[in-house]
Amino acid sequence: MSKLAFIGLGVMGFPMAGHLVARGGHEVTVYNRSRAKAEAWVSKHGGRMAETPAKAAEGASIVFSCVGDDPDLREVTLGASGAFQKMAKGAIFVDHTTASAKLARELAAEAKKRGFEFLDAPVSGGQAGAENGQLTVMVGGDPAAFERAKPVISHFAKAVTLMGGSGAGQLTKMVNQICIAGLLEGLSEGLNFALKAGLDAKLALDVISKGAAQSWQMENRGKTMVDDKFDFGFAVDWMRKDLRICFETAKENGAQLPVTQLVAGYYDDVSKTGGGRWDTSSLIRRLRRA
């Protein structure tokens, strides 16, 4: 059993932190900006609640975080009450936020100066993956720190892979989001076409999912897209944030993202019509309402 901390108890972090107790039997201290969520977590899983990220991190061998964006991550790490103020020498900070590779490298360098390690470890698998402990985790950072952290991360993951040095985890997550954006637009157009053509769209899904068109999005979102249900999953506004990070990075490395730029504009449209909290598969609503 290790003494751990988890910072950020949103739809992903809440169940992830829970698995550290339920599956790993670890002693976990949690921090959340909204105190009510931290209280709810402690009521369900035990452990204890800290008033600041720094107090949560004090004495922990591994500190996890899963927050919203670069500014949030910077605040819970480098802020006046940030975790970096109290990290123990030789400890590891594992960040599951989808953030920029630039910030990941900055935090890794700062951690080294202070005598501990930082791993950027964004996840894929959505809310269901977090709840079921079946996330895919892509990691950047020191190999020795990765090997120490991997067994603990595995309590809420089905795959944990070191992608390279600091920032490589975040870059891999960008690849993931770029691919998902294009897949969901293609799936939306295909299903809308099926509906316009008078086909049984769910039967069509069942048939084509056994062939080359098969994908995770098709298997897990196809039927709910036909049913026009989007009150779950990964929110449109979070995808917009992720794609913004992709575009900023593409400007630096020269990558061309023409289809992703197009789909990002479609997500902007969905958000403007009140769909910022809908699942990313809600792209089809643009087409069905046209």
Side-chain angles (χ1 to χ4, degrees):
M1 182 179 73
S2 299
K3 186 176 180 182
L4 310 176
F6 206 106
I7 298 167
L9 301 173
V11 295
M12 301 293 286
F14 194 106
M16 291 163 71
H19 289 306
L20 295 175
V21 176
R23 293 183 175 181
H26 298 290
E27 179 185 343
V28 181
T29 299
V30 297
Y31 167 80
N32 193 72
R33 184 166 50 188
S34 168
R35 182 184 176 90
K37 285 187 178 180
E39 291 174 341
W41 189 92
V42 171
S43 176
K44 182 175 181 178
H45 298 289
R48 68 184 186 90
M49 177 180 66
E51 296 298 322
T52 66
K55 289 181 179 179
E58 194 167 10
S61 59
I62 304 178
V63 178
F64 296 89
S65 64
C66 190
V67 294
D69 202 347
D70 278 24
D72 305 303
L73 178 57
R74 189 180 293 278
E75 178 63 25
V76 301
T77 53
L78 300 176
S81 299
F84 278 26
Q85 309 303 331
K86 293 291 184 178
M87 290 287 293
K89 300 288 185 183
I92 305 171
F93 192 102
V94 181
D95 177 47
H96 295 300
T97 309
T98 297
S100 69
K102 182 178 180 180
L103 180 56
R105 297 185 189 109
E106 177 187 335
L107 294 177
E110 183 61 30
K112 285 276 190 186
K113 290 179 186 177
R114 299 182 185 223
F116 60 92
E117 296 290 342
F118 177 90
L119 299 175
D120 53 288
V123 303
S124 181
Q127 183 176 349
E131 292 172 350
N132 296 325
Q134 292 292 301
L135 292 170
T136 294
V137 186
M138 46 216 87
V139 186
D142 178 77
F146 169 78
E147 291 300 332
R148 286 171 53 203
K150 183 179 179 180
V152 185
I153 299 172
S154 294
H155 293 315
F156 49 75
K158 65 179 180 181
V160 186
T161 306
L162 182 64
M163 301 304 301
S166 295
Q170 295 295 355
L171 291 171
T172 306
K173 181 60 183 287
M174 293 177 209
V175 175
N176 187 79
Q177 302 305 73
I178 291 165
C179 292
I180 287 174
L183 280 169
L184 280 171
E185 177 59 20
L187 183 56
S188 296
E189 293 181 14
L191 289 178
N192 186 61
F193 180 93
L195 292 166
K196 295 286 188 182
L199 288 171
D200 179 332
K202 290 185 179 179
L203 181 59
L205 274 171
D206 184 61
V207 172
I208 67 174
S209 67
K210 295 178 173 62
Q214 190 275 339
S215 69
W216 186 97
Q217 299 295 337
M218 181 178 289
E219 293 285 348
N220 291 274
R221 296 291 183 263
K223 291 180 180 179
T224 51
M225 290 169 76
V226 174
D227 289 337
D228 198 43
K229 294 180 179 178
F230 307 104
D231 189 23
F232 57 86
F234 187 65
V236 164
D237 282 347
W238 287 122
M239 177 60 108
R240 293 172 65 223
K241 179 268 295 185
D242 291 357
L243 294 180
R244 186 200 76 228
I245 293 172
C246 293
F247 299 140
E248 291 170 354
T249 306
K251 284 183 180 179
E252 298 172 358
N253 66 23
Q256 298 296 307
L257 301 175
V259 173
T260 310
Q261 287 276 9
L262 193 66
V263 178
Y266 296 159
Y267 277 125
D268 290 343
D269 292 343
V270 173
S271 184
K272 288 174 185 175
T273 58
R277 301 304 302 170
W278 296 342
D279 182 70
T280 47
S281 58
S282 59
L283 278 174
I284 193 173
R285 277 192 170 169
R286 288 184 64 260
L287 303 171
R288 295 177 73 166
R289 292 177 177 179

